[in-house]
Structure formats: structure tokens, C-alpha cells
């Protein structure tokens, strides 16, 4: 994977948010780069009951599974009410999902000095004490 591919992944996420939600409201989206170079995007649909809402990453994650492709990088962005695009690091549930693709999956996290800047980190670096490391035979990603 190249830096250009990572930039394209971020651009795909930004484009999804701008295209799907052109009125500038606070909305988000996610993009995942797959092992074959494909970039899949997704966003979270509204639900009357917040307990059944899903995250932005579900759609590209399920698409990667459907295509039988490994996820190599993932980013989630939120356009706030000031029009800034904030980088949202993967929540615990998404980290669990991405862990199936191995510890080298890159995830976008916010730069400490600027939450609008993507910093790419390996999943292993955002999960230093991942619970499955005590079961090395259970993981295929080389933890």
C-alpha cells in the first residue's frame, strides 16, 4: 500500500460525506482500502431507536467480507457543525472487527495537535494490550 492509496482513501471518505450530505449538516462516513486496491465507503443510516443504529464502518466492512478481501486501512470522518472534518479513531467494536484482518491494518486517528489531520497507525499500536494476544493460535493476523 502506498501513501497515495491512503490519501485516496481519505478523499473517498470526504467525497462520500459531501456527496451524500450536500447541505453541510453534521454527518460522517468511513472508507476502507482493501488488499486489491479497492476503496469501499459507507455511512450510518438514521434510525428511530438509537439502540439499533450502526456505525459508518459497517457498510465497507461487510463489503470487504462479501468481496473476500482483506481490509488494509480504515478511516472514519465526521463533518462537525463548523464544517470541519474530524478524524474519529475506531471504537472498540470496530477494532474488534478489524482485528480479524491482522495487527498491521492501518487505522486513521486524529493528530494530537489537530483533530482534522489523519495520522495512520497500525492496529497493533492502538491495541497494545489486545485481549486476544493470550490466545495466539486463535488469530490469523500474527498477533
Amino acid at each position: 500500500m502506498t501513501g497515495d492509496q491512503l490519501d485516496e482513501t481519505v478523499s473517498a471518505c470526504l467525497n462520500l460525506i459531501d456527496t451524500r450530505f450536500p447541505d453541510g449538516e453534521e454527518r460522517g462516513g468511513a472508507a476502507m482500502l482493501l488488499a486489491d486496491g479497492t476503496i469501499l465507503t459507507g455511512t450510518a443510516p438514521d434510525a428511530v431507536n438509537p439502540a439499533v443504529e450502526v456505525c459508518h464502518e459497517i457498510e465497507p466492512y461487510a463489503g470487504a467480507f462479501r468481496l473476500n478481501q482483506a481490509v488494509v486501512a480504515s478511516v472514519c470522518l465526521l463533518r462537525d457543525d463548523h464544517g470541519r472534518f474530524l478524524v474519529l479513531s475506531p471504537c472498540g467494536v470496530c477494532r474488534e472487527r478489524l482485528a480479524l484482518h491482522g495487527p498491521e491494518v492501518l487505522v486513521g486517528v486524529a493528530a494530537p495537535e489537530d483533530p482534522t489531520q489523519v495520522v495512520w497507525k497500525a492496529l497493533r499500536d492502538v491495541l497494545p494490550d489486545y485481549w486476544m494476544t493470550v490466545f495466539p493460535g486463535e488469530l490469523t493476523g500474527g498477533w
Side-chain angles (χ1 to χ4, degrees):
M1 135 187 42
T2 67
D4 285 344
Q5 287 176 304
L6 294 174
D7 291 343
E8 290 170 14
T9 303
V10 172
S11 292
C13 188
L14 291 167
N15 185 55
L16 167 68
I17 297 167
D18 281 339
T19 302
R20 174 61 181 88
F21 308 108
D23 61 359
E25 67 183 297
E26 184 175 302
R27 288 295 195 146
M32 292 184 184
L33 174 63
L34 307 184
D36 70 354
T38 300
I39 298 172
L40 299 179
T41 61
T43 189
D46 296 324
V48 174
N49 178 350
V52 299
E53 291 178 353
V54 296
C55 67
H56 304 298
E57 292 93 335
I58 288 288
E59 187 176 3
Y61 184 79
F65 181 77
R66 175 180 44 82
L67 296 170
N68 196 29
Q69 287 290 313
V71 174
V72 296
S74 178
V75 65
C76 183
L77 303 173
L78 173 74
R79 181 177 55 212
D80 71 9
D81 55 3
H82 300 291
R84 300 179 310 159
F85 288 91
L86 306 175
V87 183
L88 304 179
S89 64
C91 73
V93 172
C94 285
R95 291 176 188 196
E96 289 291 327
R97 291 179 182 129
L98 291 169
L100 292 175
H101 296 277
E104 298 306 319
V105 171
L106 295 180
V107 294
V109 300
E113 66 282 355
D114 183 356
T116 67
Q117 294 300 307
V118 177
V119 173
W120 293 100
K121 291 187 176 184
L123 191 58
R124 79 165 67 250
D125 296 330
V126 296
L127 287 175
D129 299 308
Y130 184 54
W131 69 275
M132 281 294 290
T133 58
V134 299
F135 304 107
E138 297 293 320
L139 293 172
T140 60
W143 289 89

